[in-house]
Amino acid sequence: MLEVDLPRSFVIREQWHRVHNPIDEVKLALLGRVLRLRPGMTMLDLACGTGEMLCTWSREHGISGTGVDISTVFVEQARERAAELGVAESVNFVHGDAAGFVSAEPVDVAACIGATWIGDGLDGTVELLERSLRPGGLLLIGEPFWREDPPDEAAVRGSHAAKKDDFTDLPGLVASFGRLGWDLVEMVLADPDSWDRYTAAQWLTVRTWLDENPEDELAADFRAELDTAPLNYVRYQRRYLGWGVFALKKR
């Protein structure tokens, strides 16, 4: 039995999100189309969240697959979403630590969208995903990058980076894929509007939760977060931090 779980604060903050990253549902659908997914293809989604990508792509493109996430709440919501969309027979969701998870059978698409900490960074996550990928398959990585060079420490911290070197710019990120031996064959990038739908939506969720749970042990931290997060976002993160999903094929 897995004893670890996603921190409760994260689950509260994103409890109304269907997509747990800065590409919205429109861009998620676009990504499924541009990848030319076909019925019968199989997919592994590590750190799948509430399973929106796997569930909607199964419905729209006829794929099957497995999602793995450390959150008990999100895995249960993913199973409910699969039933809602009529794809529960085609997709499976596992409560587990995605770090080190390898599919029992090679898949056509192996993905980690926005959670490369499971492999201690980009290099390790690409190596982990490759272990589940059939020869010639697609590897999907979601990663941040600097849209503009952050001018000072305040811009770095305000963009949710511990240090400037945590991210590179977009050319540097693309070059890193080549360094690892992969061709970049498609990409869908977040824009300011899709960033808003990911980030700004959290403020209403947090404020509503605070109104309903003023005595909770997390209330003080959430109050402090709401005091600073919107201004940091519009001043720094929305301008300086980019994000995208990148489709790779092994050279």
Side-chain angles (χ1 to χ4, degrees):
M1 178 69 68
L2 182 71
E3 296 181 357
V4 292
D5 208 327
L6 200 63
R8 188 163 67 100
S9 59
F10 189 94
V11 176
I12 291 169
R13 192 181 294 110
E14 298 198 13
Q15 62 184 290
W16 295 106
H17 283 51
R18 285 238 171 104
V19 181
H20 298 272
N21 57 65
I23 62 168
D24 56 21
E25 294 173 40
V26 173
K27 287 181 178 289
L28 187 65
L30 171 64
L31 180 62
R33 292 196 301 273
V34 300
L35 294 179
R36 306 172 193 172
L37 301 174
R38 302 181 305 278
M41 293 179 75
T42 56
M43 179 174 175
L44 174 67
D45 186 8
L46 297 183
C48 66
T50 49
E52 189 71 6
M53 181 167 69
L54 189 53
C55 288
T56 56
W57 287 2
S58 180
R59 180 190 61 182
E60 298 301 322
H61 303 287
I63 70 169
S64 61
T66 297
V68 182
D69 201 90
I70 203 169
S71 170
T72 52
V73 173
F74 285 172
V75 166
E76 182 58 32
Q77 290 179 357
R79 292 168 179 161
E80 292 172 357
R81 183 63 168 158
E84 177 186 355
L85 296 184
V87 296
E89 298 300 315
S90 299
V91 297
N92 175 50
F93 292 98
V94 176
H95 175 230
D97 188 351
F101 188 96
V102 177
S103 176
E105 299 291 336
V107 297
D108 298 299
V109 183
C112 177
I113 308 301
T116 54
W117 56 81
I118 69 170
D120 294 323
L122 177 66
D123 293 22
T125 303
V126 167
E127 189 277 331
L128 172 61
L129 290 172
E130 186 179 7
R131 292 164 62 190
S132 295
L133 193 65
R134 70 163 180 80
L138 278 172
L139 190 150
L140 300 183
I141 286 282
E143 272 289 274
F145 56 87
W146 293 119
R147 295 180 67 237
E148 296 184 28
D149 188 40
D152 51 34
E153 184 69 14
V156 172
R157 295 283 183 175
S159 299
H160 282 192
K163 57 186 184 300
K164 184 177 176 180
D165 290 346
D166 283 352
F167 312 130
T168 183
D169 60 10
L170 184 56
L173 181 57
V174 171
S176 70
F177 301 144
R179 171 180 57 80
L180 294 172
W182 296 78
D183 287 326
L184 175 63
V185 296
E186 256 295 1
M187 67 182 189
V188 172
L189 303 184
D191 58 26
D193 288 340
S194 60
W195 260 116
D196 292 347
R197 297 286 33 87
Y198 174 61
T199 303
Q202 297 174 25
W203 307 334
L204 178 57
T205 299
V206 169
R207 176 53 197 267
T208 301
W209 184 90
L210 278 170
D211 291 344
E212 296 172 350
N213 301 274
E215 304 303 321
D216 190 279
E217 63 181 1
L218 295 178
D221 287 343
F222 271 136
R223 180 63 262 173
E225 177 180 311
L226 199 57
D227 287 344
T228 58
L231 184 57
N232 278 336
Y233 172 69
V234 299
R235 179 177 283 165
Y236 300 120
Q237 186 174 341
R238 198 176 192 267
R239 173 176 178 179
Y240 293 107
L241 193 62
W243 199 91
V245 181
F246 304 89
L248 311 176
K249 280 201 165 211
K250 187 76 171 180
R251 288 178 177 170

